[in-house]
Amino acid sequence: MRGGVLEIVWQAARAIIYLALYVLLISGTDFVLFNLGWCFIYLGFLLFLPINTPIVVQLVLGFLTGITLDMFFDTGGVYAGSAVLLMYLRPWVLRLLTPRDGYDAQDSVNIHQMGWQWMVVYLTILVGIHHVAFFLLELGSFQVFGTTLAKMVVSTLYTGLTLLIIQLIFFPTRRRSR
């Protein structure tokens, strides 16, 4: 595991990359599936944080990420609210998915380290929670619930698949020695 300052610099660089990709490239209409599926790639920064990240740091990072996107897109707290909820529930989901032997201090959210099944369940639960909160906050009512439900499902699948591909391409394949 990297040292303290180096780890903070690495995580800050990851945050900038994910946010820049989302704001400059992915948030446009070119990456929308059938006007139902949006890819919230910035969630990769929040979901792939180290497992031992303190909850207060997770909540602050979720809020800062969300409020930054709210400022870019003038959405009045929709991103911030859903990101803070995501980060609040992340430790509970991690506890729910704890392996039989528990997590090691150096464990990270990595498909090669945790396995396919673990990663798919982890992403499905947390991305699904985020998208339900996001689209319900965005909608503000249950007027067009069928369309909103379709947006939640398609966007969850689209974002989850994209984050799985990112894990396979950019995260190291070697397992750490335990």
Side-chain angles (χ1 to χ4, degrees):
M1 185 166 189
R2 297 175 175 87
V5 174
L6 205 54
E7 181 68 22
I8 291 170
V9 170
W10 170 242
Q11 295 301 332
R14 283 185 56 241
I16 291 168
I17 291 168
Y18 276 109
L19 288 172
L21 272 174
Y22 182 70
V23 169
L24 299 174
L25 183 66
I26 307 243
S27 65
T29 58
D30 294 340
F31 288 94
V32 176
L33 291 178
F34 310 113
N35 206 24
L36 288 176
W38 282 263
C39 183
F40 295 97
I41 195 170
Y42 72 91
L43 292 178
F45 164 65
L46 298 173
L47 293 174
F48 302 152
L49 284 170
I51 290 176
N52 61 356
T53 304
I55 182 68
V56 174
V57 173
Q58 290 183 50
L59 291 172
V60 168
L61 289 174
F63 177 75
L64 291 175
T65 301
I67 203 70
T68 301
L69 293 171
D70 283 326
M71 286 189 289
F72 272 105
F73 300 120
D74 194 25
T75 51
V78 173
Y79 284 96
S82 54
V84 169
L85 176 66
L86 171 76
M87 296 315 287
Y88 177 74
L89 295 175
R90 182 179 182 254
W92 290 1
V93 172
L94 286 171
R95 264 184 258 131
L96 177 73
L97 299 175
T98 302
R100 185 174 352 133
D101 300 332
Y103 297 114
D104 287 339
Q106 73 271 12
D107 279 348
S108 63
V109 178
N110 184 322
I111 193 168
H112 304 293
Q113 189 172 350
M114 303 310 269
W116 275 92
Q117 290 175 333
W118 187 94
M119 183 61 73
V120 168
V121 172
Y122 173 78
L123 288 176
T124 302
I125 292 171
L126 288 174
V127 171
I129 288 170
H130 173 271
H131 285 26
V132 167
F134 181 87
F135 287 114
L136 288 179
L137 286 171
E138 179 188 51
L139 180 63
S141 73
F142 291 103
Q143 202 168 24
V144 286
F145 189 71
T147 305
T148 304
L149 184 62
K151 285 181 182 179
M152 291 175 197
V153 171
V154 173
S155 295
T156 298
L157 294 173
Y158 186 21
T159 302
L161 184 61
T162 303
L163 293 176
L164 277 174
I165 291 169
I166 287 171
Q167 279 276 320
L168 290 171
I169 293 173
F170 295 109
F171 281 71
T173 58
R174 61 180 167 75
R175 292 182 179 260
R176 292 188 176 135
S177 59
R178 291 186 179 221

